[in-house]
Amino acid sequence: MSSPALDKAAPNTTGSDRTLDNQTPTALAQQQTSLLRKTLGRFDIIFLLVAAVIGLENLGQVSTYGAEAFTWTLVLAVTFLIPYGLIFAETGSAFAEEGGAYTWVRDAFGRPWAAIASLLTWVTQPVWVGGTMSFLATETWNHAGLGQISAGSATDYAFKLGFTWLTVLAAIISLHYGKWLPTVGAILKVLILVLFVGSAIAYVVNNGMAPMSAGDFSPTLMGFLGATPVLLFAFLGFDSGSSAAAEMKNPLRDVPVGVLRSTAIAAACYILPIAAILAVVPKDQLSGVGGFLDATKIVFGVFGGAADSVMRVVSLLLVLTFVAQGAAWMMVSDRMQAMAAADGAFYGGFFGHFNRRLGTPVRMNLLSGVVGTVFLLAAMQVDGSAASVFEVVLIISITTYLLAYLLVFPAAIRLRTVRPDVPRPFRVPVGNAGWLAMGVVTFAWIALGSWVAVFPGTLEPLFGVDYDFVDAWGVSRTQFEVFTLGTLAVLGVIGLLGYWLAKPVREQIGTAP
């Protein structure tokens, strides 16, 4: 059913794919953009990105590879994080349209490719919140000593479902008020990491370091292929704030500042805590789901008799930061997918609407809650320990997110050459050749990470390295691939159906910008 605003737009009647998939937003997208309110300043953007991107769940998972995890973190920070931040600081300042990465891929390659990139980016967040963060929040609650939540119990289901839907409700609130949850969460997260690193230094001074030698920092193929996808996942997301570009007070100036400053903060918040974890926890005692928590419990021993109380308070604050982190991702990813829907790329007639009073994509928020719930329930049926389930679910999130960037990076690189007319308030001081080189390097990392995430253990035999899949993942390869490839197959069906059903929306082209 079309709205009066759509009826006023000049419909496209040619029916050609070239016209339907051009770069002009649809009438519905322009109509929905008009409902948005400019509420995000530079301060809000920086802390929104810090809240979303810095993930404590990644600290423990990367640290399981021992001292060489620190080496690979430094390598990725230099060869990937820096050029990535520069690329999207420029792109985000030049193409400041609500929807962010979706609009970049659309303008570079057309709506069909943009629909794929948007779907993969969006679905990552409810899968990650329901299937990863809810598990980490439960484990953190157990560390607080406020009552044990037994895996698979009614309390376990209630806690994880409550966590998932709390992030959804936080995303539904008007951004004018909702933005303060990620801001508070980001500040708490940084303060906790500062307390953790300071306590780790005091612990090492008093008790010495965990057994470790200089040779342990030497990079290996196993560490390279294992840590790379997790590190890439940890470093990605600084472009996500552009999904709410139309709700920023001055995106042309604030986006590059927000991206570059939050990138620098994130680099420090990953490198220093990983070094601290490795310094106090022996490698054979680390697990992805509890690595950071185990290290925290150890280093807080420097507080003596107050250690348990400090651990309890920090654990509760960590649960709050997890809610804030999930809410931050829901806020930006749901906006991107809602604009994709409004632009005729995903069930546009229903999900492409923003609530007039709240200015938020409530329908898309609720869909994220449903997807997160489904994936949470599915993850809880996976056989294996909590650590194994955590790792398998995390790799699903990593897979969908990395695959999206196989389109987003080329789009950002291409837009500089095909749209040289667009003003760029921030411009990386390199020519087009240097710009292309940055794109090639970052894309190569993403391509490698994507393959390793989808098909772990397939490259090691090429170099004569033995790889025990069950020992590495705690589940069989069959179960792992059914979960991974099955998720991608279901997403493919959902995406194709959604794009086909959105054709009437694509036919209502808006006015040219």
Side-chain angles (χ1 to χ4, degrees):
M1 180 179 295
S2 61
S3 68
L6 292 182
D7 293 336
K8 294 178 182 178
N12 181 297
T13 57
T14 64
S16 68
D17 290 340
R18 172 185 290 273
T19 304
L20 296 182
D21 289 325
N22 65 16
Q23 298 171 351
T24 304
T26 66
L28 179 59
Q30 293 181 345
Q31 177 199 52
Q32 295 304 305
T33 301
S34 68
L35 302 177
L36 304 177
R37 308 162 190 171
K38 293 186 178 295
T39 59
L40 295 176
R42 181 175 296 181
F43 174 88
D44 304 314
I45 297 169
I46 292 173
F47 283 97
L48 178 67
L49 294 177
V50 170
V53 178
I54 299 176
L56 300 183
E57 77 281 3
N58 298 316
L59 295 175
Q61 189 64 29
V62 172
S63 299
T64 58
Y65 293 94
E68 68 171 304
F70 182 77
T71 304
W72 289 120
T73 302
L74 290 177
V75 170
L76 266 293
V78 173
T79 62
F80 178 80
L81 183 59
I82 293 176
Y84 160 64
L86 291 172
I87 288 172
F88 288 103
E90 176 176 321
T91 303
S93 69
F95 298 88
E97 184 179 347
E98 188 83 2
Y102 165 77
T103 65
W104 304 336
V105 179
R106 181 200 64 196
D107 292 351
F109 302 120
R111 278 192 178 84
W113 293 110
I116 296 172
S118 178
L119 178 63
L120 289 170
T121 302
W122 162 71
V123 80
T124 297
Q125 311 320 325
V127 167
W128 169 78
V129 169
T132 299
M133 294 303 292
S134 64
F135 282 77
L136 184 59
T138 305
E139 186 73 13
T140 304
W141 179 271
N142 287 339
H143 272 70
L146 299 175
Q148 193 75 13
I149 299 177
S150 302
S153 65
T155 304
D156 190 29
Y157 276 90
F159 186 90
K160 290 183 171 70
L161 288 170
F163 174 89
T164 301
W165 281 95
L166 187 57
T167 65
V168 173
L169 293 176
I172 289 176
I173 299 172
S174 170
L175 193 59
H176 179 73
Y177 302 103
K179 67 182 181 181
W180 288 106
L181 177 59
T183 297
V184 172
I187 293 173
L188 285 176
K189 190 179 298 185
V190 173
L191 291 177
I192 289 171
L193 290 176
V194 170
L195 175 64
F196 170 71
V197 172
S199 301
I201 293 173
Y203 178 88
V204 169
V205 170
N206 294 330
N207 302 281
M209 295 178 60
M212 196 163 33
S213 66
D216 293 333
F217 290 89
S218 299
T220 67
L221 181 65
M222 288 291 289
F224 170 63
L225 296 178
T228 293
V230 182
L231 284 170
L232 291 174
F233 182 70
F235 286 153
L236 287 171
F238 293 104
D239 57 291
S240 61
S242 292
S243 296
E247 297 166 86
M248 297 178 183
K249 297 176 182 177
N250 190 355
L252 302 184
R253 298 295 181 185
D254 292 343
V255 165
V257 174
V259 169
L260 295 177
R261 289 185 181 177
S262 59
T263 300
I265 293 172
C269 287
Y270 277 121
I271 292 173
L272 296 179
I274 287 176
I277 291 174
L278 296 173
V280 300
V281 183
K283 178 182 177 181
D284 58 0
Q285 296 181 22
L286 286 168
S287 69
V289 68
F292 178 72
L293 297 172
D294 293 337
T296 301
K297 199 167 187 178
I298 292 173
V299 301
F300 283 173
V302 299
F303 293 104
D308 289 341
S309 297
V310 174
M311 184 67 192
R312 184 174 295 110
V313 172
V314 169
S315 296
L316 290 175
L317 292 177
L318 280 174
V319 174
L320 176 60
T321 67
F322 298 153
V323 174
Q325 187 176 359
W329 274 118
M330 291 289 192
M331 289 176 184
V332 293
S333 65
D334 287 356
R335 278 169 166 77
M336 179 196 63
Q337 190 64 5
M339 288 309 301
D343 201 45
F346 181 78
Y347 302 95
F350 184 79
F351 291 110
H353 289 265
F354 285 68
N355 184 277
R356 288 183 177 274
R357 184 171 62 88
L358 300 175
T360 55
V362 175
R363 296 174 182 177
M364 188 59 65
N365 295 144
L366 295 176
L367 179 61
S368 290
V370 172
V371 173
T373 299
V374 169
F375 214 89
L376 162 62
L377 297 177
M380 294 187 73
Q381 310 311 312
V382 176
D383 295 331
S385 65
S388 298
V389 174
F390 176 87
E391 292 173 5
V392 172
V393 175
L394 178 60
I395 208 67
I396 298 294
S397 303
I398 292 174
T399 298
T400 54
Y401 206 43
L402 292 183
L403 290 175
Y405 277 91
L406 291 177
L407 291 168
V408 177
F409 270 106
I413 299 304
R414 188 168 191 265
L415 285 175
R416 190 195 244 206
T417 56
V418 300
R419 295 298 304 277
D421 57 305
V422 176
R424 294 176 180 250
F426 172 81
R427 189 177 183 90
V428 181
V430 297
N432 287 342
W435 181 254
L436 177 61
M438 291 169 59
V440 169
V441 171
T442 51
F443 180 83
W445 276 116
I446 293 295
L448 174 65
S450 298
W451 179 269
V452 175
V454 179
F455 304 108
T458 57
L459 296 181
E460 285 82 355
L462 299 179
F463 298 92
V465 177
D466 292 331
Y467 189 91
D468 188 322
F469 195 92
V470 175
D471 182 62
W473 293 96
V475 297
S476 68
R477 177 179 288 278
T478 299
Q479 189 176 24
F480 179 93
E481 297 297 358
V482 166
F483 208 34
T484 305
L485 298 180
T487 299
L488 294 177
V490 171
L491 284 178
V493 173
I494 292 173
L496 288 173
L497 182 60
Y499 193 82
W500 178 69
L501 291 175
K503 182 178 179 180
V505 176
R506 294 195 299 275
E507 292 177 339
Q508 300 285 344
I509 299 299
T511 57

